[in-house]
Amino acid sequence: MSTTFDPLHARDPTRHRRPPQPLWLTLVVTWFGAGLSPVMPGTAGSLAALPFAAAIAWFGAPWMLVPAALLVFAIGVWASDVYCKRAGVKDPGLIVIDEVAAQWLTLSVAPVAFWPYVIGFVLFRIFDMTKPWPVSWADRHVGGGFGVMVDDLLAGAYSTAALYLVLTFLL
């Protein structure tokens, strides 16, 4: 088994200008490969976050997703920064650890149940794709690993508030 993998250049080996990424780094930033999805990698990363969120909330409590999200955020800042510098790109779509942290933050106000998780997933994807201010500002102006992570966490804050309101007043 190879210890390196360069998903940015996997389809076109002539584009290798930098050393391949270490396999462990690729697994971290792609959330065990979810970000390598050829279609909508951000959505795939958010979906891949759901079973982990359910396990954390089930064996602990939903609020435990907040410190878990902050831990993943910190790891993601470092790993994304290393990955982007090595790859020479700003924010490749295959990095989805940011979606994981934000999705967990969103679900921190939800019971472990099908419909609250579906609603939380949809709300986060809406805020992540539409990027309301200051999400859009952070996406354009904040760089490095922190920039990769922070816009999604801000979108996650919006979706957390929206999910809380939906669960409190509509369900």
Side-chain angles (χ1 to χ4, degrees):
M1 182 166 130
S2 174
T3 59
T4 61
F5 179 65
D6 190 359
L8 287 175
H9 303 104
R11 292 191 183 107
D12 184 5
T14 62
R15 292 188 56 209
H16 282 272
R17 294 187 191 105
R18 297 180 181 268
Q21 302 289 350
L23 181 59
W24 66 266
L25 182 61
T26 301
L27 289 173
V28 169
V29 300
T30 65
W31 196 251
F32 309 106
L36 299 175
S37 171
V39 180
M40 300 172 60
T43 299
S46 294
L47 279 172
L50 297 178
F52 291 90
I56 293 167
W58 181 264
F59 290 109
W63 67 265
M64 292 181 75
L65 288 165
V66 174
L70 294 175
L71 177 62
V72 168
F73 179 83
I75 293 167
V77 167
W78 172 79
S80 297
D81 194 59
V82 170
Y83 192 95
C84 289
K85 283 179 182 172
R86 287 180 55 95
V89 294
K90 182 182 176 209
D91 186 357
L94 61 83
I95 295 179
V96 296
I97 193 170
D98 49 345
E99 272 82 12
V100 173
Q103 189 68 72
W104 288 3
L105 179 64
T106 301
L107 297 174
S108 68
V109 297
V112 182
F114 181 76
W115 285 112
Y117 270 48
V118 168
I119 295 167
F121 170 80
V122 169
L123 286 171
F124 171 64
R125 294 309 304 148
I126 289 169
F127 284 107
D128 188 35
M129 289 187 275
T130 60
K131 298 192 183 313
W133 190 91
V135 180
S136 57
W137 181 89
D139 185 49
R140 287 191 309 271
H141 294 96
V142 183
F146 185 74
V148 170
M149 298 295 294
V150 74
D151 65 310
D152 284 82
L153 203 65
L154 291 170
Y158 276 118
S159 58
T160 303
L163 180 59
Y164 178 80
L165 293 172
V166 166
L167 295 176
T168 300
F169 298 109
L170 298 178
L171 295 183

